[in-house]
Amino acid sequence: MSPLFANVDWAEIGKATLETLGMLGGSMLLTVVLGLPLGVLLFLTARGQLLASAGLHAALAFAVNVLRSVPFIILLILMMPLTLALVGTSLGVRGAIPPLVAGAAPFFARLVETALREVDPGVSQAAQAMGARNDQIVLRFLLPEALPGVLAGATVTAIALVSYTAMAGVVGAGGLGDLAVRFGYQRFQTDVMVVTVVLLLILVQFLQMIGDRLVARVSHR
Amino acid sequence: MTGAAKPRIELVDAVKVFSGGDVEAAAVRGVSLRVWPGEVFGVIGQSGAGKSTLIRLMNALERPTSGRIFVDGEDLAALSPAALRRRRRRIGMIFQHFNLLQSKTVWDNVAVPLRLEGGLSAATIKARVDALLERVGLTALAGHYPSQLSGGQKQRVGIARALACEPKVLLCDEATSALDPETTEQILTLLGELNRELDLTVVLITHEMDVVRRVCDRVAVMEAGKVVETGEVVEVFLNAESPVTRRMLGEDDRLPLRSGSARAFRLTYRGEAARAPFLSQTAKATQIDFSLHLARAGEIKGEPYGQLVVSMEGARLDDALARFQAAGVHIRELQP
Ligand SMILES: Nc1ncnc2c1ncn2[C@@H]1O[C@H](COP(=O)(O)OP(=O)(O)O)[C@@H](O)[C@H]1O
Ligand SMILES: [Mg+2]
């Protein structure tokens, strides 16, 4: 082992990397599964839209804003009882996923809503004029048209999740960020900090690159 | 055309008021009209006159505040949501900004309405889309995305898409307003051809006189939510009664130049009358003097027409006017 990285336990780093990827993969999947419909609903219930409903829209927007305004670290702690009920533990990677989703899904939902708003309203009109049902308008017209924006939003969300995972150490979920905090920061092991941060950077770069490529592939503007 | 046939579209005292918050905007204020099968019906008016709202009542994109809208005798308000969707498939619509799906190729854009139907086989859809693209001359661009097309090509895609479910009616909301004159000409020619080939009823709204003159059989002139004039295009254009129509035609009833006892007239003629040198013949025969202030000539749906603004004086002026009338010239005296 290079003396430069004297404190670095590579097995530990490998384990932490897997924990980060586990938290990211699991929470990202659920964020999309929950955030996408929530975003669609936010969009559709807004004024002048297909399911316009001021009350429902206000209620959804309020719930989203509450979750988005609570600092993630607080959310992590506040949610512990709920997490326990949901996944049987409030600890580890599994215990981290519910708060991660609770933090990221509302954020993603807003990005989905914005992407849908950017779709030319004429598209929805043309869809109605050709006799499309509401579900067809959403699935065959609006979402395909908003796909570049939705994918860009998913990329931003995934990257935000990477930094959220760093705080998940609080519930013992581990991960690279946790390593950086516990060893790099609290024990002044600068080399551990450097290695973990570089790995996180690589992860973020990778996510951005994949995201950009997907967006480019589906953009035909 | 207006014989015993039943109207394809009928509006009976249609009113549409938009109420947004505390302001109410009456976009359509009591319009009754009939569109006959196979005709090209134009609605012309200035921006904000209510044309878009009017055409959107015809496929129930807007619900009337009062009044009724019938398509093929069916009251749109009486249809269930499912029946209305089926009805809309038989009413094509094209738009000023085309409203194509940017995320889909030309081919897939045209296939969209067919796929909405459900139950059509892939082979049926393919045959239909290929035939439509062929008809609008876009076969070579089937794999392109809308962003790679010119405005005229995009509108051709819009037309192919609107015709996918074999509608009997095509609604055109300012379909050529975003296009240059040459492309406008091509699209109007295509619409005219489709009207004849498919016996397609076309309702076309526009703020451009030229568009109406090129393709429409009948026209309604709209102002502030009301139809102020309606009739055969030639009649409405040449003998415009309402100030709006005259303004849209660029006609001015005030006489720019005046001299002594001369009286000024606008003389309008078409068809056979347009071919005869009636002005000089009459002037010679009645010995009137005339000065010409304005002259224009053109074609309306293939029929030649002409219009002159002249001031005339002479002892036998009444005789001259009678001769004009006998030659089929429409006369309107202009006030000084
Ligand atoms: N959805 C709407 N809500 C409120 N006002 C509207 C709406 N659509 C049209 N209007 C108003 O109705 C009038 C007629 O509009 P429109 O039918 O678009 O006219 P045109 O197509 O002749 O320009 C305008 O004053 C416009 O502002
Ligand atoms: Mg309009």
Side-chain angles (χ1 to χ4, degrees), chain B residues 18 25 27 46-54 62 205:
Chain B
F18 290 106
Q46 279 152 353
S47 177
K51 309 180 295 295
S52 293
T53 309
L54 184 77
E62 303 288 0
I205 72 173

Side-chain angles (χ1 to χ4, degrees), chain A residues 29-182:
Chain A
L29 185 72
L30 287 170
T31 294
V32 171
V33 167
L34 296 175
L36 188 65
L38 181 57
V40 170
L41 215 51
L42 272 170
F43 170 77
L44 290 178
T45 54
R47 221 175 73 170
Q49 299 299 340
L50 284 178
L51 305 178
S53 155
L56 185 54
H57 185 79
L60 289 173
F62 182 71
V64 162
N65 288 346
V66 166
L67 285 173
R68 288 192 58 196
S69 59
V70 178
F72 181 66
I73 190 88
I74 309 286
L75 193 63
L76 203 56
I77 295 159
L78 280 181
M79 270 190 63
M80 277 183 170
L82 181 63
T83 305
L84 188 63
L86 281 174
V87 296
T89 171
S90 61
L91 300 175
V93 169
R94 267 159 62 97
I97 286 180
L100 284 171
V101 173
F107 176 64
F108 181 57
R110 280 293 189 197
L111 297 176
V112 169
E113 184 195 9
T114 308
L116 287 168
R117 274 198 193 160
E118 271 160 24
V119 174
D120 177 359
V123 166
S124 177
Q125 253 185 51
Q128 278 178 279
M130 65 180 81
R133 290 190 310 266
N134 284 354
D135 62 303
Q136 291 175 324
I137 294 178
V138 172
L139 294 174
R140 302 192 189 196
F141 293 81
L142 296 178
L143 282 175
E145 287 295 281
L147 191 56
V150 169
L151 286 176
T155 307
V156 173
T157 306
I159 289 170
L161 273 171
V162 170
S163 73
Y164 285 177
T165 62
M167 285 178 257
V170 171
V171 294
L176 288 168
D178 181 47
L179 220 52
V181 173
R182 281 193 297 130

Side-chain angles (χ1 to χ4, degrees), chain A residues 208-220:
Chain A
Q208 188 68 56
M209 187 189 75
I210 297 288
D212 288 347
R213 287 213 178 156
L214 287 176
V215 171
R217 175 169 293 188
V218 300
S219 294
H220 299 287

Side-chain angles (χ1 to χ4, degrees), chain B residues 278-327:
Chain B
F278 68 89
L279 183 59
S280 67
Q281 283 173 353
T282 305
K284 272 183 215 152
T286 60
Q287 306 212 306
I288 55 154
D289 287 316
F290 68 87
S291 42
L292 183 59
H293 301 295
L294 187 93
R296 65 167 147 198
E299 278 190 1
I300 295 176
K301 265 222 146 188
E303 189 185 18
Y305 77 95
Q307 196 166 62
L308 305 173
V309 174
V310 290
S311 49
M312 300 186 285
E313 59 191 320
R316 292 169 62 196
L317 185 55
D318 287 342
D319 184 13
L321 294 175
R323 282 167 187 256
F324 289 156
Q325 216 137 29

